[in-house]
């Protein structure tokens, strides 16, 4: 049987345990002490990732004259905190040791107090793990300072750019991929680090025995991203298939910290950020950012591991119910509700935050007005049905789905088709697009009108920067579509045979990038001659609906009891502005019950 450390007592609510590590230069031991929250000594708080390659390898260290069992990953952190070769001591707070993880009540009491822990520490130390994958070069402050200085004078990178003339390492230098691999370490993907970094006064990063200031790494990643050099940092094998790009995840942390220090983070932003994060326990999707939530929302959330750990989705419902109760026009919640997995008992209108990657990029930030009028009906928004897991929304049906085509992505960078080769991916996309083009021709009798509608619907009538396509730009979109199809049809000879003007080539590549963004959004046609990009799980027979006060349209699946399942949000060409919607497309007003 594995040993278990025996704590002296259950930690009082007004106290905090801190670990004092003392080293003789070779070995170390620890002492756990209790302090009142209003009389804390100088200490550092640790931000680290519980899961690691060495997670199951147990070792122990001496603490309060007992043996405290920890993972090899944690032991390596404790070993590297004190400098080697000289006697030293350091006082830290770390959750795995300073909170009794076997005492659920103690966890429940202290999780809501993380703002006091991380806010009162003199600094937060980020433990990235042992040195590997040439991390030593990235963690060297002098090397990073030199790169940052040279990046300030670097304009932008293309495949023909000679980076060496700007004093930067050659494109073949291993440091570029070492930077990329560092940002793909598990710490960057952990949910708890969002609030730990946001609440910190200062942040320092530790990898092996090397230290690097947070701001130095922020400047480096910002500079690489700004100049387009991030392509040099990409791992040829890519991150884990279920993980987003490491640079993007890191910059999310940077932006969250900046927003929090500037006054706070909106709840819609926080829920989207943690949707991309990882946890050991699904309930920590909320508990892990608890201290960044507004005070009133915190009071509405129950912190109770014993009660909710198995039925974690009930906490998700608490959060979503509070948001809707305080703001009935929170349609962005319905936009992010779509997910590939859903626990039994979680209504379809509640986002499954434990679905690490959302099923699709949602449409809540698009500049659409599908359900918005200057003079809207009095009863608008979302309402919670008392004593029920259902909600009510006012609106009307505009169409019934007739056919759905899984269009997919044309490019390997956004391949959602199971790792197909670039050639197979292009051919599959071209085949699926041919079917979509037939649906567009069936919907529009005029060939030119069909082409314009098809080209715009594929990219949801927006440019790569999110701005809507203006009437004067519609011809350019059709050109970009035709150029993109010709480019894909040429296959491996695409660039060599491309005689498109430089400007049109730029627009074409933007168009291709957008096709990749919306790759998991199926193309669909309705029975009344509309086309669009829909929700991932939609199918023939689903109802496409307008909800008053919502920007996108939504797809519902009628149930036998008269209620509906929410499938997701969607784009319907020609139906995204309520004031210009033809009366023939409007069904009678009704209240939709969604469960």
């Amino acid at each position: 049987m594995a040993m278990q450390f025996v704590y002296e007592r259950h930690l009082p609510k007004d106290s905090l345990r801190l670990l004092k590590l003392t080293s003789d230069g070779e070995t170390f031991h620890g002492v756990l002490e209790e302090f009142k929250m209003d009389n804390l000594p100088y200490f550092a708080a640790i931000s680290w990732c519980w899961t690691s390659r060495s997670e199951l390898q147990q070792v122990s260290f001496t603490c309060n004259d007992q043996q405290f069992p920890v993972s090899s990953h944690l032991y390596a952190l404790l070993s590297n905190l004190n400098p080697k070769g000289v006697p030293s001591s350091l006082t830290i707070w770390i959750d795995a040791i300073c909170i009794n993880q076997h005492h659920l009540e103690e966890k429940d009491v202290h999780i809501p107090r993380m703002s006091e822990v991380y806010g009162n520490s003199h600094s937060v130390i980020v433990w990235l793990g042992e040195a590997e994958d040439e991390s030593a070069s990235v963690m060297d402050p002098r090397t990073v300072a030199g790169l940052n200085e040279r990046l300030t004078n670097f304009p932008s990178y293309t495949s023909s750019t000679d980076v060496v003339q700007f004093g930067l390492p050659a494109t073949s230098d291993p440091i570029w991929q070492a930077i990329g691999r560092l940002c793909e370490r598990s710490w960057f993907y952990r949910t708890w680090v969002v609030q730990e970094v946001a609440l910190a006064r200062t942040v320092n990063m530790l990898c092996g025995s090397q230290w690097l200031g947070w701001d130095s790494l922020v400047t480096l990643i910002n500079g690489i991203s700004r100049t387009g050099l991030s392509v040099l940092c990409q791992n040829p094998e890519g991150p884990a298939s279920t993980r987003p790009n490491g640079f993007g995840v890191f910059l999310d942390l940077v932006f969250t910290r900046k927003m929090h220090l500037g006054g706070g983070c909106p709840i819609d932003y926080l829920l989207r950020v943690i949707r991309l994060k990882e946890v050991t326990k699904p309930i920590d999707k909320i508990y892990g950012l608890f201290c960044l939530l507004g005070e009133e929302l915190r009071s509405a959330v129950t912190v109770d591991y014993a009660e909710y750990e198995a039925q974690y989705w009930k906490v998700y419902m608490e959060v979503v119910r509070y948001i809707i109760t305080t703001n009935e026009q929170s349609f962005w919640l319905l936009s992010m509700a779509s997910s590939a997995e859903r626990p039994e008992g979680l209504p379809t209108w509640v986002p499954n935050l434990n679905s690490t990657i959302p099923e699709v990029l949602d449409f809540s930030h698009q500049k659409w007005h599908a359900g918005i009028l200057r003079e809207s009906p009095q009863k608008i928004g979302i309402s919670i049905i008392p004593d029920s897991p259902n909600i009510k929304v006012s609106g009307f049906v505009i169409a019934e789905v007739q056919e759905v085509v899984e269009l997919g992505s044309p490019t390997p960078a956004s391949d959602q088709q199971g790792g197909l080769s670039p050639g197979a991916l292009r051919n599959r996309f071209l085949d699926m697009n041919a079917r979509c083009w037939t649906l567009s021709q069936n919907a529009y009798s005029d060939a030119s009108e069909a082409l314009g509608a098809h080209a715009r619907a594929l990219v949801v009538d927006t440019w790569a920067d999110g701005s809507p396509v203006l009437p004067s730009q519609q011809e350019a979109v059709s050109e970009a579509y035709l150029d993109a199809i010709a480019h894909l049809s040429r296959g491996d000879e695409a660039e060599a045979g491309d005689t498109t003007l430089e400007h049109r080539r730029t627009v074409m590549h933007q168009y291709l990038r957008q096709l990749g963004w919306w790759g998991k959004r199926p193309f669909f046609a309705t029975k009344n001659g509309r086309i669009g990009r829909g929700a991932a799980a939609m199918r023939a027979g689903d109802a496409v609906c307008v909800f008053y006060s919502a920007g996108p349209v939504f797809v519902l699946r009628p149930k036998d009891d008269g209620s509906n399942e929410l499938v997701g949000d969607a784009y319907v060409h020609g139906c995204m502005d309520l004031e210009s919607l033809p009366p023939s497309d409007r069904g009678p007003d009704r209240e939709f019950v969604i469960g």
Side-chain angles (χ1 to χ4, degrees), residues 89-131:
S89 65
L90 176 69
T91 300
I92 64 170
W93 182 91
I94 182 166
D95 51 1
I97 296 173
C98 297
I99 294 179
N100 185 348
Q101 298 297 319
H102 300 286
H103 199 296
L104 295 182
E105 183 181 345
E106 184 169 306
K107 292 173 67 177
D108 294 344
V109 168
H110 285 84
I111 281 173
R113 308 199 71 174
M114 290 301 98
S115 58
E116 296 173 74
V117 174
Y118 285 88
N120 286 323
S121 65
H122 72 81
S123 70
V124 169
I125 297 173
V126 172
W127 171 239
L128 294 178
E130 293 277 42

Side-chain angles (χ1 to χ4, degrees), residues 537-569:
M538 71 186 300
R539 62 189 185 213
D542 288 343
V544 182
C545 309
V546 165
F547 295 162
Y548 285 122
S549 298
V553 299
F554 289 88
V555 180
L556 297 181
R557 183 163 299 148
K559 298 170 64 178
D560 293 339
D561 62 3
S563 66
N564 302 271
E565 293 181 357
L566 176 65
V567 181
D569 57 4

